[in-house]
Amino acid sequence: MRDSVGSVRTVLLLGGRSEIGLAVVERLVRDGAREVVLAARGGTSTPSVLTALGATVHSLEFDATDPDTHTATVRAAVDLVGDLDVVVDSFGVLGEQADYEADPASAARAAAVNYTGHVSAGLAVAARLREQGHGALVVVSSVAGVRVRRFNFVYGSAKAGLDGFAQGLADSLHGSGARVLVVRPGYVPTRMSAHVEPAPFPATPGQVAAAVAAGLRSGATTVWAPRVLRPVFAGMRLMPRPLWRRLGR
């Protein structure tokens, strides 16, 4: 539950090894959060920076591909720390478009992690936040879903679905006291994106975390990281398709 001045006390990270997710958690801990649950398949180690900052860190099993377990995972997190002030939904896989085209089954598995896993997990979290009457779900989307490009359309189409789902979920929670913050980062250099050629307007995980923290404070529904991507993609949405398909990465 938020403290007497409205600060975040508890945080659940779905995708407990995500570098972006961990950066967001660290930022929230620096701002006062004291109970953290890291949920990931196979569990997680405890980042020393979080304990050094005074947080108590718990670990939970979480399998994005097993939707039947997602409600139980949320309940287990509540059993550990009480009401959930912020839940960060930051799990996913990137992969290679060429590999997906050569192995359609692997593309379907990746899409299940990047989209349908978020549907069941997001609905389970929303049910809990609605019951509490407060709390925020932070959904890490991507500019890859704003307009899908041919070089990564398996990943981009899943992110487009996730982004639309998160916006609809936000509308469904309106008036409940709970809310959703959609985060649209561009290229972020992490272990997951190490095989990807850098793109213009990159952001570090720390910069994404700062945008999330500012969005939570201001009550925003969507944040871009960096902010310049918003007008850039407003223009890209209008680009004629023959020109769009010629773009590189």
Side-chain angles (χ1 to χ4, degrees):
M1 173 177 298
R2 288 174 181 259
D3 63 20
S4 60
V5 294
S7 298
V8 172
R9 186 184 71 83
T10 64
V11 185
L12 166 63
L13 172 59
L14 299 174
R17 290 187 290 274
S18 160
E19 289 174 75
I20 293 175
L22 286 170
V24 173
V25 170
E26 180 180 338
R27 178 58 186 253
L28 294 176
V29 169
R30 290 185 183 279
D31 289 346
R34 285 298 173 263
E35 295 280 351
V36 173
V37 182
L38 304 179
R41 187 165 60 180
T44 66
S45 58
T46 299
S48 59
V49 65
L50 297 182
T51 54
L53 289 169
T56 300
V57 181
H58 310 269
S59 177
L60 275 182
E61 177 69 22
F62 172 69
D63 185 347
T65 64
D66 190 356
D68 290 335
T69 66
H70 291 173
T71 294
T73 298
V74 173
R75 287 175 180 163
V78 172
D79 288 343
L80 287 169
V81 300
D83 282 358
L84 303 173
D85 294 332
V86 174
V87 179
V88 182
D89 178 350
S90 187
F91 58 88
V93 293
L94 186 53
E96 286 279 6
Q97 179 64 33
D99 294 340
Y100 290 147
E101 292 183 39
D103 183 0
S106 73
R109 288 192 293 271
V113 174
N114 290 333
Y115 178 56
T116 60
H118 293 273
V119 172
S120 51
L123 290 173
V125 170
R128 176 61 200 182
L129 300 187
R130 187 180 286 112
E131 179 183 343
Q132 295 176 178
H134 71 93
L137 171 61
V138 177
V139 177
V140 180
S141 179
S142 170
V143 296
V146 175
R147 187 172 184 183
V148 177
R149 287 165 287 178
R150 66 180 176 86
F151 81 85
N152 69 347
F153 64 83
V154 171
Y155 176 79
S157 62
K159 285 295 188 181
L162 170 60
D163 201 285
F165 167 77
Q167 293 179 62
L169 186 61
D171 289 341
S172 78
L173 286 172
H174 182 71
S176 71
R179 66 190 183 98
V180 176
L181 174 61
V182 179
V183 186
R184 293 177 181 150
Y187 173 76
V188 181
T190 63
R191 290 188 299 274
M192 190 173 86
S193 65
H195 64 289
V196 175
E197 184 178 336
F201 309 113
T204 66
Q207 290 170 323
V208 177
V212 169
L216 288 172
R217 286 194 302 271
S218 68
T221 57
T222 306
V223 295
W224 301 70
R227 294 169 64 178
V228 68
L229 289 175
R230 180 174 184 174
V232 168
F233 272 81
M236 285 187 167
R237 280 170 163 162
L238 301 175
M239 187 177 293
R241 194 163 181 178
L243 181 59
W244 179 254
R245 72 168 61 100
R246 293 179 185 175
L247 290 182
R249 300 183 72 91

